[in-house]
Amino acid sequence: MVKCAKKGCKQDAIEDEPYCAEHRNEGISMPGYTSEPPIVISGGSVTIEFDDIVLQRLGRGRHGNPNKKIKRVQVRGDGIDFSEDTPTGRVVIIIHYGDP
């Protein structure tokens, strides 16, 4: 197994990547964010994109990480433009979808 490319890290790298799970997102620059990549939900069709190392499978269509908190919510498109920080991390976003 290949070791993480982060100087001083002794963990194994993720398969086909240079870094371990802890360091894989270092150096990704996104205004207003730490090194954690955002969860992206997009449509026309329904697409959900997230880091499956950070948000592990909990079963029955659920993923999560008890050590992470929602920091900011952004929604844009088709006349919607919303962006707010969330001080507590308690947020529920409901997206209704269906056939065209």
Side-chain angles (χ1 to χ4, degrees):
M1 194 82 193
V2 176
K3 294 295 178 195
C4 176
K6 172 79 173 181
K7 186 175 182 176
C9 182
K10 297 183 187 322
Q11 297 183 59
D12 291 334
I14 297 169
E15 188 175 338
D16 297 326
E17 293 190 29
Y19 297 100
C20 66
E22 181 180 347
H23 299 114
R24 85 185 295 204
N25 297 313
E26 283 189 9
I28 297 173
S29 177
M30 296 172 58
Y33 292 95
T34 62
S35 63
E36 305 288 351
I39 299 167
V40 178
I41 303 170
S42 60
S45 62
V46 178
T47 303
I48 301 172
E49 176 185 328
F50 58 90
D51 186 328
D52 60 351
I53 300 296
V54 174
L55 300 175
Q56 292 117 20
R57 184 175 175 84
L58 302 175
R60 297 176 53 184
R62 297 173 56 100
H63 290 75
N65 185 325
N67 300 317
K68 302 296 177 189
K69 234 194 213 186
I70 295 171
K71 293 183 175 189
R72 182 169 191 76
V73 176
Q74 293 179 290
V75 180
R76 288 180 294 204
D78 287 353
I80 300 170
D81 192 355
F82 173 85
S83 182
E84 291 286 331
D85 290 335
T86 173
T88 65
R90 289 182 291 229
V91 175
V92 175
I93 301 169
I94 300 171
I95 298 173
H96 298 269
Y97 64 93
D99 297 329

